[in-house]
Amino acid sequence: MERSERKLDENQKEITLVYTDPKTGLQVRCVAVEYKDFPTVEWILYFKNTSERPTPILENIQSLDTSLERRSEGEFLLHHSKGSPNSPTDYQPYETPLGPKAQKRITAAGGRPTNTDLCYFNVEWPGEG
């Protein structure tokens, strides 16, 4: 893995992570921007074949697969929004409690990235989030 950082301005830092599979030549580059004035990180993944051979088929790519652990009492609360499947409730906000062993998938469907869910979310827990 290669890692680099650069300051974009007083409130933004860009972090680049590059992973290259020596067997297939597949390279995955993650470019993230961390905001110091707001609790947000944005990232984009790039895929590149650095080999002479065809890359194996890429599928079931998950840009975030994480587990959260409680450090205090109370439940996690996921703030997220419906996407735009062309209905009267497009972009409706939701609050979903995440109890023990809960799972929530934020996904795309129908060939559009916001057809089912918006990809923006926030996790809240007592006193933080």
Side-chain angles (χ1 to χ4, degrees):
M1 183 198 58
E2 300 172 33
R3 179 188 173 106
S4 62
E5 294 184 12
R6 70 183 179 115
K7 184 177 179 178
L8 299 177
D9 62 31
E10 291 302 313
N11 293 311
Q12 297 179 51
K13 175 173 62 171
E14 181 183 83
I15 303 163
T16 302
L17 305 170
V18 181
Y19 302 89
T20 305
D21 180 7
K23 188 184 222 181
T24 65
L26 176 64
Q27 183 180 81
V28 179
R29 181 170 48 105
C30 176
V31 179
V33 176
E34 177 183 343
Y35 295 87
K36 293 183 180 188
D37 59 340
F38 199 75
T40 300
V41 175
E42 298 176 318
W43 68 89
I44 300 174
L45 297 178
Y46 299 91
F47 299 91
K48 180 179 181 181
N49 182 1
T50 64
S51 170
E52 300 283 328
R53 299 179 310 261
T55 301
I57 294 173
L58 303 177
E59 59 184 345
N60 300 322
I61 297 167
Q62 296 183 31
S63 59
L64 179 66
D65 183 3
T66 189
S67 296
L68 304 172
E69 294 183 25
R70 268 181 203 77
R71 289 188 230 150
S72 63
E73 295 297 317
E75 295 293 342
F76 292 112
L77 185 61
L78 177 66
H79 298 273
H80 57 109
S81 297
K82 181 179 184 177
S84 179
N86 193 21
S87 74
T89 59
D90 284 0
Y91 307 113
Q92 176 178 341
Y94 294 116
E95 291 184 344
T96 303
L98 298 175
K101 299 187 181 187
Q103 294 184 9
K104 171 64 178 154
R105 292 182 60 94
I106 296 176
T107 62
R112 296 183 307 157
T114 61
N115 198 45
T116 52
D117 298 298
L118 285 182
C119 59
Y120 306 102
F121 61 91
N122 182 299
V123 179
E124 174 185 345
W125 57 93
E128 298 186 52

